[in-house]
Amino acid sequence: MKILAALTLLAAPAVAAAQDRHLQSPNGAIDVTIGQDSATRGPTYAIAVHGRPVIDMSPLGLAFEAYKKLGPETNVTGAVRTSVDTRYRLIAGKTSIARDHYNELTLNLTETGGARRRLDIVFRVYDDGVAFRYRLPVQPGFTDLRLSGELTEFAFPADYRCWGLNLGRFDTSHEGEYDPVQASQVRPHNLFEMPVTCRTGAGDTSFAITDADLHDCAGAYLTGRETGALGFATRLTPRLDDPGIAVKANVRTTGLVTPWRVVMLADTPGKLIESTILTSLNPAPKGDFAWVKPGKTAWDWWNGPTLRALPGGAGMNDATIKAYIDFAAANSLPYMLIDEGWYINSGGGPVVYPGADIMTVVPTIDLPSLVRYAADRKVGLWLWANWRVLDAKMDAAFAHYAAMGIKGVKVDFMDRSDQQIVDFYQRIFRASAAHHLMLDLHGAYHPTGATRTWPQFLTQEGVLGAEYNKWTRRITARHNVTLPFTRGLAGPYDYTPGGFRNATPGTFRIEPQTPMVQTTRGQALAMYVVFDSPFMGVSDSPDNYAGAVGFDFVRAVPASWDETRVVSGAIGEQIVTARRSGKDWFVGAMTDETPRVLDVPLDFLGRGRFIATIWQDGASPTDVVATSRIVTARDTVTLKLAGSGGGAIRLVPIR
């Protein structure tokens, strides 16, 4: 590892304030200009890539209660430059080794009058993006902080085509479609979940606006600028108990550091997917996380549960759970997830029924016995919980179930991103780590890179995933091939793939039990490569996998990776992703409703010969045609994808 640092202190503030400052990426392709607005005398920034403007001069600053602001009427009183180049290991995710390489500039600002409050703005520029955050130092006049929002904007020089999830409300599960939208159609009353992804139309530059390292603050949305000018403004989620503000804190001794605002940048949309900038912007983990083991899981909820072999019917009982454990063991799945219904008076989804108690198991299951039964078969059990029921007894529950041998928890229905929920995330991160429990958050806001700091936090929802096939027609192929370029940029997403009752959009039927999916078996296989989740669901009934063509790929594909390459991709149209685990490579290809023939150059393989096993769409949605051949890095595999289809390749070196 290598860290390079160069510090520059500007001792002449009056001269410095009159000049724009530039901060470039290590490779020189990205240039950030930091200046001062001539009217407000507040800080501004702009971003250019390869000399072409991507973000125009945009305001910066903080807003407090009663319309007070910090940013306007300030001068620069100091500046520090730093450069860092190091590498770090990720226990789970899209790569095992990530590079943290950036140039940094910290500006110290002081108001020209009044209380002469101080504000620092930290800028970092990577080869794949720009990040900045605000830092309020400890100072007289700041004790009980009441922050209402930010002045942060992202001004566009042109009417970009973007893709975003306009939720329009703060009480939300953060699930929906990332629809195309022109920048000129974004309005101040919109509330877009981050990331929002855009194409500039100049060269092939693509970018996404999102955030990183969220703690001690409130989640944020993107909204239209009040002036109606092109671009986005930032809006913080208000507190439930004090909706006039978003953040309150006593900063007498610690000050305040806001989350990073991030503009991910790449020459192609696919390169955005490969970026690790969000984990790089989060602190390194503290402690030993060798106990964290990514893996795939059997699951009893999405498919019913349905099991033909149980004459009494499947349900929340020992026989059902044992059958799913047996299925997991027989197919080398390391986990089985027991969903809602295992503790007394659960079953209300987001509603907490009177008497619900996470410390008391329903009488139809013997949980300690099931844990032992699973352990004998090398399967670990996870448990579902409503967050309110868990939060009431978190430490006691985690200690009890960890001692029993439970491996992880799926926590559901937070459905907000205000400061209180952000604080709950921090509590559950600390508690699950202390008790060696892995974590999956549902009803959750988008990821902000916390999987680096808390490696046990394997995945989260905040995605319109396969569960919606049980009651809607919204899970289309176009939606599926939009997700990697939008929600997927933020981090792992628990989409819960694996539907093997494949239908065309025309023959698809809404069925709450053992639901269909309106995409092909080939696309079902490809999801295990294209979608990023180190805790990956094998979500259908064991009945539907028995003897099914293509399930051999599901059994073999890993849930975490050493390297990721996006071979090709167009937002909402198609994607081809290659991922490496050890020396083996896996490829997933997906298309929208349009049939496609996609060439997959194998130049990512490196030296040697490989056995390529190829799964492609067949004559019907449930058909898969499997073939094998020997290939090298000089070869190209051509995949024929049906409409709403996909394909998969496994490449194993010949030793």
Side-chain angles (χ1 to χ4, degrees):
M1 294 187 180
K2 177 175 64 172
I3 300 179
L4 305 176
L7 305 181
T8 304
L9 232 31
L10 301 181
V15 175
Q19 299 175 345
D20 289 341
R21 290 169 177 79
H22 289 268
L23 186 65
Q24 290 190 328
S25 58
N27 65 6
I30 302 173
D31 181 84
V32 178
T33 302
I34 301 114
Q36 187 178 59
D37 184 90
S38 58
T40 67
R41 292 190 58 78
T44 61
Y45 77 102
I47 301 173
V49 178
H50 303 303
R52 294 187 293 266
V54 173
I55 303 294
D56 264 348
M57 277 294 182
S58 305
L60 298 164
L62 298 175
F64 301 97
E65 194 175 34
Y67 304 103
K68 297 178 181 178
K69 300 176 181 179
L70 179 54
E73 300 297 332
T74 56
N75 279 336
V76 176
T77 54
V80 178
R81 291 183 183 268
T82 305
S83 296
V84 169
D85 187 3
T86 188
R87 283 174 168 79
Y88 59 92
R89 181 172 294 278
L90 291 169
I91 291 177
K94 68 180 74 173
T95 185
S96 56
I97 301 294
R99 188 180 185 185
D100 191 14
H101 190 197
Y102 61 85
N103 293 325
E104 181 179 284
L105 171 62
T106 300
L107 290 184
N108 312 123
L109 306 176
T110 303
E111 287 181 308
T112 57
R116 297 187 62 81
R117 297 172 298 178
R118 293 181 286 126
L119 173 67
D120 298 338
I121 308 179
V122 184
F123 297 89
R124 286 186 185 176
V125 187
Y126 294 76
D127 289 341
D128 55 355
V130 175
F132 55 88
R133 75 190 323 174
Y134 304 101
R135 190 169 64 203
L136 273 171
V138 174
Q139 56 190 294
F142 273 127
T143 54
D144 295 322
L145 176 72
R146 295 176 63 81
L147 188 70
S148 62
E150 294 183 11
L151 308 182
T152 307
E153 295 188 6
F154 304 87
F156 291 177
D159 191 7
Y160 297 151
R161 179 174 172 83
C162 300
W163 287 259
L165 169 57
N166 180 17
L167 291 167
R169 55 191 294 178
F170 295 112
D171 56 333
T172 169
S173 61
H174 307 271
E175 299 166 6
E177 292 87 350
Y178 288 78
D179 292 322
V181 59
Q182 290 297 132
S184 55
Q185 297 172 330
V186 176
R187 303 291 180 251
H189 62 268
N190 296 155
L191 288 174
F192 281 90
E193 179 86 347
M194 291 190 275
V196 170
T197 304
C198 303
R199 302 286 306 278
T200 66
D204 199 27
T205 300
S206 301
F207 68 94
I209 303 172
T210 189
D211 53 0
D213 194 21
L214 172 59
H215 60 87
D216 301 326
C217 201
Y221 292 83
L222 295 174
T223 186
R225 303 168 71 194
E226 284 294 340
T227 62
L230 296 173
F232 289 94
T234 304
R235 185 171 178 186
L236 301 185
T237 306
R239 292 180 60 94
L240 282 184
D241 60 349
D242 199 349
I245 62 169
V247 179
K248 63 179 181 181
N250 187 326
V251 295
R252 185 190 307 271
T253 58
T254 60
L256 177 73
V257 178
T258 69
W260 294 100
R261 304 299 170 213
V262 186
V263 181
M264 303 172 68
L265 291 153
D267 290 336
T268 66
K271 286 293 182 183
L272 292 172
I273 298 170
E274 298 177 12
S275 174
T276 55
I277 189 173
L278 299 185
T279 51
S280 294
L281 288 164
N282 278 261
K286 296 179 180 179
D288 178 15
F289 287 91
W291 51 273
V292 174
K293 304 294 182 185
K296 301 192 295 293
T297 183
W299 186 29
D300 63 340
W301 182 85
W302 185 75
N303 61 81
T306 53
L307 289 167
R308 289 190 293 268
L310 295 181
M316 190 55 67
N317 54 59
D318 284 347
T320 299
I321 303 305
K322 285 182 177 180
Y324 278 85
I325 292 169
D326 291 342
F327 165 72
N331 293 283
S332 302
L333 307 181
Y335 301 116
M336 159 57 191
L337 168 61
I338 304 175
D339 213 275
E340 185 175 23
W342 65 270
Y343 59 82
I344 63 166
N345 290 344
S346 61
V351 177
V352 177
Y353 289 151
D357 183 7
I358 199 168
M359 299 297 289
T360 307
V361 180
V362 296
T364 53
I365 65 171
D366 182 346
L367 191 56
S369 176
L370 289 173
V371 171
R372 292 191 297 271
Y373 183 88
D376 288 344
R377 289 151 182 80
K378 295 182 170 53
V379 174
L381 294 186
W382 285 55
L383 299 175
W384 176 95
N386 178 290
W387 82 275
R388 294 181 187 276
V389 177
L390 174 64
D391 196 29
K393 299 180 178 180
M394 186 187 297
D395 286 332
F398 279 1
H400 176 62
Y401 292 113
M404 188 184 296
I406 295 298
K407 300 300 181 184
V409 289
K410 171 184 172 181
V411 185
D412 212 345
F413 295 116
M414 285 75 72
D415 292 352
R416 309 191 326 255
S417 62
D418 52 72
Q419 187 181 14
Q420 294 100 315
I421 285 294
V422 172
D423 289 345
F424 169 77
Y425 278 39
Q426 297 302 309
R427 292 201 309 277
I428 200 169
F429 290 159
R430 291 190 294 269
S432 60
H435 293 288
H436 287 199
L437 289 168
M438 289 174 283
L439 189 61
D440 175 5
L441 297 182
H442 271 231
Y445 58 76
H446 64 273
T448 64
T451 51
R452 181 189 182 191
T453 309
W454 305 103
Q456 86 283 5
F457 178 31
L458 291 183
T459 194
Q460 66 190 95
E461 198 183 28
V463 64
L464 189 74
E467 65 181 26
Y468 277 76
N469 285 295
K470 292 165 72 75
W471 58 82
T472 77
R473 296 179 176 272
R474 294 169 63 185
I475 308 303
T476 64
R478 176 169 289 273
H479 170 69
N480 290 340
V481 294
T482 301
L483 286 175
F485 303 99
T486 50
R487 164 61 181 84
L489 300 180
Y493 43 124
D494 193 8
Y495 174 98
T496 55
F500 263 39
R501 293 191 67 205
N502 309 97
T504 66
T507 60
F508 172 82
R509 300 188 308 275
I510 296 174
E511 296 186 4
Q513 294 288 103
T514 58
M516 292 182 170
V517 296
Q518 53 184 313
T519 49
T520 71
R521 181 72 53 81
Q523 185 160 129
L525 305 186
M527 288 178 184
Y528 285 92
V529 181
V530 174
F531 292 170
D532 177 16
S533 180
F535 182 62
M536 183 72 85
V538 181
S539 307
D540 216 331
S541 168
D543 296 338
N544 293 332
Y545 292 130
V549 179
F551 190 60
D552 51 345
F553 180 84
V554 176
R555 292 178 60 183
V557 67
S560 192
W561 306 96
D562 293 312
E563 185 178 355
T564 292
R565 304 274 191 94
V566 178
V567 177
S568 66
I571 303 172
E573 298 178 14
Q574 59 88 7
I575 185 170
V576 179
T577 302
R579 301 189 194 261
R580 179 178 61 83
S581 175
K583 295 183 178 180
D584 294 356
W585 283 87
F586 294 78
V587 177
M590 296 165 54
T591 182
D592 60 5
E593 289 74 14
T594 303
R596 299 181 194 273
V597 177
L598 298 177
D599 289 332
V600 184
L602 303 179
D603 51 1
F604 52 81
L605 287 178
R607 295 180 179 179
R609 298 190 305 159
F610 292 74
I611 297 175
T613 306
I614 305 161
W615 292 262
Q616 300 188 72
D617 290 323
S620 73
T622 55
D623 286 343
V624 178
V625 178
T627 58
S628 296
R629 54 185 271 206
I630 295 175
V631 298
T632 70
R634 296 186 297 273
D635 291 317
T636 295
V637 173
T638 299
L639 294 175
K640 296 181 180 179
L641 311 184
S644 302
I649 310 171
R650 183 184 184 187
L651 298 132
V652 179
I654 299 174
R655 295 172 174 87

